[in-house]
Amino acid sequence: MVALHQKDDPMTSPCPCNSGKNYSECCEPIHTGKRLAPTAEALMRARYSAYANGHVDFLFDSSGEDIQKDFDHDGTKAWAEKSTWNGLDILRTEAGTEKDTEGVVEFVARYATNGAHFKHHEIARFKKEKKRWIFMDGEIQKSTPIRRETPKITRNDPCPCGSGKKYKKCCEQLGVRS
């Protein structure tokens, strides 16, 4: 897991996108315009690295018109800078190759803000316009709630450990959750 902090030198550090390459060989040429992202996945990786390295203009420029209309440069920059970027996992891609004009990338972006850790799971849609991949929109994937197979034990129920005491007077006091 790569955590990029503002003190790290992004040019010699491993790329935040988890490609295994240095940033200068991976996403930096895409951020600076020296190279176009060849695939939808490459653009997704570059966008994640842009958050990690504070390249807000790249995020704006690599977005479709509908995203650009509501883009908050200052808010995005402030949020990206106060976050610690812990890695990107590409779960799957559909199309999005050099020969395609549309593509989908499902990913999980891991980051921490104010000491709280988050996993952003999204299915992102990309389109190639004039040989350049653009992020069009994304659908956030909500986690599936945990469903109990047995009823929840309340404080006044008998303790499931078999002590004969009420749950609140036994295992609940020890921090054992039902």
Side-chain angles (χ1 to χ4, degrees):
M1 182 180 337
V2 175
L4 184 66
H5 304 277
Q6 273 55 39
K7 295 176 185 172
D8 293 341
D9 179 2
M11 298 304 173
T12 58
S13 296
C15 196
C17 78
N18 286 350
S19 66
K21 300 176 185 174
N22 281 346
Y23 171 71
S24 62
E25 299 167 348
C26 187
C27 291
E28 186 267 343
I30 297 170
H31 290 163
T32 60
K34 292 179 184 174
R35 178 175 85 223
L36 292 175
T39 64
E41 180 180 333
L43 181 60
M44 182 62 246
R45 290 181 177 281
R47 288 179 59 81
Y48 177 86
S49 293
Y51 280 107
N53 290 331
H55 295 296
V56 177
D57 290 338
F58 177 81
L59 293 167
F60 178 82
D61 293 339
S62 64
S63 296
E65 289 179 17
D66 287 345
I67 302 289
Q68 289 179 344
K69 288 177 193 174
D70 297 322
F71 194 85
D72 176 5
H73 278 83
D74 294 335
T76 301
K77 184 173 182 67
W79 175 73
E81 288 177 351
K82 75 176 184 177
S83 298
T84 301
W85 299 90
N86 298 318
L88 174 70
D89 298 316
I90 302 296
L91 303 180
R92 70 179 174 90
T93 59
E94 291 178 17
T97 68
E98 293 181 46
K99 296 178 183 178
D100 294 314
T101 57
E102 294 184 355
V104 172
V105 179
E106 183 175 0
F107 67 93
V108 174
R110 296 184 316 277
Y111 64 97
T113 302
N114 297 326
H117 293 269
F118 300 95
K119 289 183 180 181
H120 176 85
H121 183 184
E122 182 175 318
I123 297 176
R125 193 172 61 84
F126 297 86
K127 186 175 182 183
K128 192 190 292 186
E129 297 176 347
K130 299 178 184 175
K131 300 182 180 182
R132 187 171 162 257
W133 283 103
I134 303 290
F135 169 67
M136 300 306 289
D137 60 28
E139 182 181 321
I140 296 172
Q141 303 298 294
K142 305 241 184 236
S143 60
T144 306
I146 297 171
R147 299 198 186 272
R148 295 177 175 272
E149 293 182 19
T150 59
K152 183 176 179 176
I153 298 169
T154 64
R155 297 186 76 223
N156 288 316
D157 286 338
C159 192
C161 76
S163 67
K165 296 178 183 178
K166 288 184 178 184
Y167 177 64
K168 69 181 177 184
K169 296 286 187 178
C170 189
C171 287
E172 184 181 45
Q173 289 182 336
L174 300 174
V176 177
R177 299 280 180 221
S178 62

